[in-house]
Amino acid sequence: MQISHFTAAVLFSVFASVVFGITQRNTPREMMRYGLYCFAMFVGGVVAAGWVMWILRR
Amino acid sequence: MANSTAEKAKVAEPPKPEGQPITTMSVVAPAVAWLIPGAGHLIQKRWGRGLLLMASIVTMFGIGLALQGRIYRPNGGDILDMLGFVGDVGAGALYIVTRAMDWGQGAIAHATADYGTKYLIVAGLLNFIAVADAYHIAIGKKS
C-alpha cells in the first residue's frame, strides 16, 4: 500500500480527531465540535507547514 | 468553655479524602480497553463511542501495517526504540497478534513505510487515552 504525504496526514487527522473528540469532552455535541476543531487544526497545520516549507525552499 | 474547645477540635479535624471506591468495573474496564480498543466503552454500554474508538484505532493500526510500518520490540537497545515499543504496546491485542504473526518488519525501501511506523505508534498511544477514558467512566468521573 502506498499513499501520498497529504493522504497520510488527512487519515491521521481523522482518526486522532475522533479519539480526541470522544475522550476529551462529555456530551455528544461537545465531542462533535471538539473533534471537528481538532481535525481543522491538524489539516490547517499541515497546510500551513507546507506553505512555510515552500517559502523556505525558495 | 469546654463546649468551645470541643468545637475548635472539630473544626481543626482535617477533612477525610474523598477517594474513588475501587469497583470491579474500574479494574476490568481499563484492562479490557487496553486489550481490545474500544471494548472498555462497550462493556459499559457506551456503544457509539466504543465502536468509533474501535474503528479508529484498529483502522489506524491496520493502515500502519499495510504501509509496511515497523513494530518495535521491547529489547531494542536504543532509547528511541524503547519509546516506540511503549507506543506500540498500547494497542494491546493488536500488538500481540502482530508480534505472533511476525508482521510489522518495516520496509526501508518505501518512504511511506515510515508513516506506517508512526501510525502504529500513534494507534497505541490513542488507545492509552481511550483506556483512561474508560476508567473515568467506570469511576463515575465522566458520564
Side-chain angles (χ1 to χ4, degrees):
Chain A
M1 182 179 174
Q2 298 266 358
I3 55 176
S4 69
H5 294 236
F6 186 72
T7 308
V10 170
L11 284 174
F12 182 99
S13 307
V14 170
F15 300 130
S17 300
V18 168
V19 176
F20 284 173
I22 291 171
T23 57
Q24 305 300 310
R25 291 294 182 269
N26 288 315
T27 65
R29 187 182 169 79
E30 286 176 347
M31 288 176 188
M32 181 75 83
R33 284 173 62 93
Y34 189 65
L36 288 171
Y37 171 77
C38 287
F39 181 73
M41 286 293 117
F42 272 128
V43 176
V46 166
V47 173
W51 277 108
V52 168
M53 285 187 276
W54 182 80
I55 291 166
L56 289 175
R57 187 169 163 265
R58 289 177 69 85
Chain B
M1 186 71 176
N3 279 348
S4 162
T5 312
E7 277 173 16
K8 276 182 186 171
K10 268 186 187 175
V11 171
E13 202 171 278
K16 288 180 182 172
E18 292 178 17
Q20 300 291 347
I22 296 173
T23 60
T24 308
M25 190 57 83
S26 69
V27 176
V28 171
V32 173
W34 170 74
L35 197 61
I36 305 166
H41 288 71
L42 293 177
I43 63 168
Q44 297 181 85
K45 297 187 174 127
R46 267 66 173 186
W47 308 112
R49 288 187 230 173
L51 289 173
L52 274 171
L53 287 172
M54 183 180 280
S56 298
I57 294 167
V58 172
T59 307
M60 194 167 196
F61 197 90
I63 291 175
L65 284 179
L67 289 172
Q68 300 181 46
R70 177 186 167 204
I71 280 282
Y72 289 95
R73 280 146 182 79
N75 53 353
D78 183 21
I79 184 73
L80 289 177
D81 283 5
M82 289 177 203
L83 289 173
F85 166 73
V86 171
D88 281 349
V89 84
L94 295 173
Y95 177 78
I96 295 166
V97 169
T98 304
R99 285 291 308 276
M101 301 300 286
D102 210 22
W103 295 333
Q105 293 298 320
I108 52 172
H110 307 297
T112 51
D114 195 42
Y115 293 144
T117 304
K118 301 302 178 283
Y119 267 57
L120 293 169
I121 293 173
V122 173
L125 295 175
L126 289 175
N127 196 38
F128 278 133
I129 300 176
V131 168
D133 195 54
Y135 174 71
H136 286 150
I137 294 170
I139 61 173
K141 197 174 175 183
K142 186 177 176 185
S143 59

